[in-house]
Amino acid sequence: MAEDAYSYISRFVTLTDEERKLFHQHLQIMTCSPKQVLTRVGDMEQHVYFIQKGLVRKYFLKGREEVTVQLSSEGDLVSSSVSFLSGVPSDFVLETMEPSTLAFMTKSSLESLFQNSTNFEIMGRLITLEWMLYKERWDISRMIKPPKERFTMLCQEKPGLMNRVPQKYLASLLDIEPETFSRYKKQVAVESENP
């Protein structure tokens, strides 16, 4: 199981055998049932989760409405990153949507790794950079791209989500009305039947 997390970080750095052993010592594994809350609004985020199996939704509360900002599945990292990186209370809820297996590391474990080796510092910097670039790209698409284009982009980038995530959460993620999402979904189904 920990090999999946190691494969993820191998995209950023090549660890020595000693560093790899140390990485595995700090990595913990947890299994979760659906709707298990990992982080609540107001919590100080102390974990970064790597999803080995399952699905995690990240959302904030706007009055009584839950606004989905991230849907993470196998191979993704998820955290209330602003809270984790800057030590402020989380504005987000992280919650599993399916039975999930997560590899995670605590903030103190990561800091210990950073002190141990510059390789781990480089890893942390590059992963943070990837998070920032992804977030900015997604924010720009939500602000600039028309709804149909956002829908198409999601279908292309994460096609499996359509069958795993309730439509209301996907519509919220794309910042479109559920009815509009439903209409786009029907159009795509018709287009695939009549190419």
Side-chain angles (χ1 to χ4, degrees), residues 105-188:
M105 199 168 282
T106 64
K107 189 170 187 173
S108 59
S109 281
L110 266 178
E111 286 169 356
S112 173
L113 290 178
F114 294 160
Q115 289 171 4
N116 183 276
S117 155
T118 55
N119 239 356
F120 288 122
E121 286 182 320
I122 292 167
M123 173 196 78
R125 189 171 66 248
L126 293 176
I127 289 172
T128 302
L129 181 61
E130 183 179 75
W131 271 356
M132 288 170 55
L133 293 173
Y134 174 82
K135 169 117 177 62
E136 186 164 315
R137 189 174 73 93
W138 184 248
D139 288 347
I140 287 170
S141 80
R142 282 176 56 125
M143 290 185 282
I144 295 173
K145 292 186 177 170
K148 180 78 184 276
E149 202 172 322
R150 294 195 300 268
F151 176 86
T152 303
M153 191 170 95
L154 181 67
C155 289
Q156 290 169 345
E157 288 185 4
K158 299 233 178 185
L161 290 183
M162 294 295 169
N163 299 322
R164 295 172 70 181
V165 177
Q167 195 166 292
K168 65 180 181 177
Y169 298 139
L170 293 168
S172 174
L173 177 69
L174 294 172
D175 195 23
I176 59 178
E177 294 298 319
E179 299 76 19
T180 304
F181 183 93
S182 186
R183 190 171 72 249
Y184 292 156
K185 195 172 176 182
K186 285 177 187 162
Q187 286 172 359
V188 167

Side-chain angles (χ1 to χ4, degrees), residues 8-194:
Y8 176 85
I9 67 159
S10 294
R11 294 173 31 219
F12 303 97
V13 290
T14 302
L15 300 180
T16 66
D17 289 343
E18 190 70 27
E19 288 168 338
R20 189 173 174 159
K21 191 184 295 181
L22 195 58
F23 176 78
H24 285 292
Q25 287 171 359
H26 284 277
L27 198 65
Q28 300 176 63
I29 307 290
M30 67 187 289
T31 54
C32 307
S33 52
K35 304 212 64 58
Q36 185 169 330
V37 175
L38 305 170
T39 305
R40 290 181 167 74
V41 171
D43 285 354
M44 302 296 272
E45 180 64 274
Q46 296 297 317
H47 303 91
V48 159
Y49 300 95
F50 174 80
I51 303 170
Q52 296 184 313
K53 180 182 154 239
L55 197 56
V56 175
R57 181 168 74 107
K58 180 177 177 179
Y59 65 91
F60 67 89
L61 300 168
K62 186 177 179 183
R64 292 185 172 191
E65 181 189 2
E66 295 177 357
V67 180
T68 301
V69 295
Q70 188 176 343
L71 292 166
S72 301
S73 57
E74 291 83 1
D76 291 335
L77 276 184
V78 66
S79 180
S80 182
S81 46
V82 171
S83 176
F84 184 82
L85 294 170
S86 62
V88 298
S90 175
D91 291 319
F92 297 97
V93 175
L94 268 65
E95 180 181 76
T96 59
M97 299 188 70
E98 307 176 336
S100 300
T101 303
L102 309 174
F104 70 94
M105 199 168 282
T106 64
K107 189 170 187 173
S108 59
S109 281
L110 266 178
E111 286 169 356
S112 173
L113 290 178
F114 294 160
Q115 289 171 4
N116 183 276
S117 155
T118 55
N119 239 356
F120 288 122
E121 286 182 320
I122 292 167
M123 173 196 78
R125 189 171 66 248
L126 293 176
I127 289 172
T128 302
L129 181 61
E130 183 179 75
W131 271 356
M132 288 170 55
L133 293 173
Y134 174 82
K135 169 117 177 62
E136 186 164 315
R137 189 174 73 93
W138 184 248
D139 288 347
I140 287 170
S141 80
R142 282 176 56 125
M143 290 185 282
I144 295 173
K145 292 186 177 170
K148 180 78 184 276
E149 202 172 322
R150 294 195 300 268
F151 176 86
T152 303
M153 191 170 95
L154 181 67
C155 289
Q156 290 169 345
E157 288 185 4
K158 299 233 178 185
L161 290 183
M162 294 295 169
N163 299 322
R164 295 172 70 181
V165 177
Q167 195 166 292
K168 65 180 181 177
Y169 298 139
L170 293 168
S172 174
L173 177 69
L174 294 172
D175 195 23
I176 59 178
E177 294 298 319
E179 299 76 19
T180 304
F181 183 93
S182 186
R183 190 171 72 249
Y184 292 156
K185 195 172 176 182
K186 285 177 187 162
Q187 286 172 359
V188 167
V190 168
E191 288 167 8
S192 65
E193 289 172 8
N194 307 302

